[in-house]
Amino acid sequence: MWKARSARLFGSQDHPVSAPSPTSAWPLPLASRRSLSVVTGVIGFLTKIVLDIRTEHQARKPVAAALAGELGAYLRLSQPERTVENIKALTKIPYDARVILLRGLFSPPSGHPVFDRIADKIGGLSPKAARGISEAYNIITGARLLLVSMSSDTFLQAPDQVQVARITVMTDMFAQEIEGMRRTIALLDRLSHQSFRCYLMAYDRDSG
């Protein structure tokens, strides 16, 4: 009798007692399984968003750095304040001497090596940066074209007072834009060093 009872409780060599399956012993309720699936899906979705934002952040830093480098090089090489004064000084030169000096002095401008390659990527920067970049390159291109026009026959054949007026307007206009270009360069430099934490918190996205 004792052997029979023991066999029923603990099993025997011929009929061992199998351990209960964890899933069969404690099955999750249907509502819990659904909740777990929802939580897992939400975590995966949020993880993808963070990874996409991080990728966007990493992609825009070299763009900002490259544009800051090119614009900064333009300003350093052109020395805009001195250039403006030198061009304005042309108004003090006698008419005939000015015409001889300007003829063939300026050649048509070339493109922008960096900007022309990555212009389609400036939309990934902040709105303020994109606007500043567009303004800066349009100002540079416009200034180049105005300088070339000063070597054209149309300008050289214009009366003295017309030449003086056009030179004065051009130099005054360009002088007003120099500080704006420097602010854009500073903004791009900050964006190129911006931490992911600041970007994730939307800090400085519009103000730089």
Side-chain angles (χ1 to χ4, degrees):
M1 181 182 295
W2 183 86
K3 288 184 178 181
R5 185 177 299 172
S6 175
R8 284 197 302 271
L9 290 174
F10 304 107
S12 64
Q13 241 182 345
D14 298 329
H15 304 285
V17 177
S18 59
S21 169
T23 55
S24 61
W26 299 284
L28 284 174
L30 180 59
S32 297
R33 290 201 299 272
R34 287 178 177 172
S35 297
L36 183 60
S37 297
V38 170
V39 170
T40 303
V42 169
I43 291 174
F45 178 69
L46 293 177
T47 300
K48 184 180 184 305
I49 290 177
V50 172
L51 290 175
D52 288 346
I53 293 174
R54 187 171 185 83
T55 300
E56 176 187 281
H57 170 252
Q58 292 297 326
R60 80 178 199 157
K61 291 175 71 174
V63 173
L67 293 172
E70 184 169 63
L71 288 174
Y74 282 154
L75 287 189
R76 288 194 302 274
L77 291 173
S78 66
Q79 300 184 27
E81 287 85 359
R82 181 179 297 179
T83 298
V84 166
E85 291 303 316
N86 289 340
I87 295 174
K88 191 175 290 187
L90 292 172
T91 61
K92 307 299 182 183
I93 298 176
Y95 178 78
D96 292 338
R98 185 193 310 134
V99 169
I100 294 172
L101 178 64
L102 289 176
R103 190 176 299 280
L105 180 62
F106 300 109
S107 58
S110 58
H112 308 286
V114 175
F115 177 79
D116 292 345
R117 288 177 177 270
I118 60 176
D120 59 332
K121 295 181 173 61
I122 65 173
L125 303 174
S126 71
K128 185 176 181 179
R131 183 173 61 251
I133 292 165
S134 178
E135 290 176 353
Y137 280 98
N138 276 289
I139 290 165
I140 292 171
T141 301
R144 287 174 170 180
L145 293 174
L146 286 172
L147 290 175
V148 172
S149 73
M150 290 169 57
S151 293
S152 68
D153 290 337
T154 301
F155 181 86
L156 297 176
Q157 292 169 6
D160 179 65
Q161 61 270 24
V162 173
Q163 291 185 5
V164 170
R166 289 185 62 180
I167 291 173
T168 302
V169 170
M170 181 187 72
T171 52
D172 289 347
M173 178 184 65
F174 186 65
Q176 293 174 1
E177 303 296 340
I178 295 173
E179 280 309 308
M181 292 177 64
R182 287 200 172 101
R183 287 193 296 270
T184 296
I185 293 170
L187 169 58
L188 291 171
D189 187 61
R190 291 197 299 274
L191 291 177
S192 70
H193 294 91
Q194 187 183 52
S195 69
F196 180 62
R197 180 181 64 83
C198 290
Y199 180 70
L200 193 61
M201 297 170 62
Y203 173 77
D204 225 16
R205 286 197 188 184
D206 293 329
S207 64

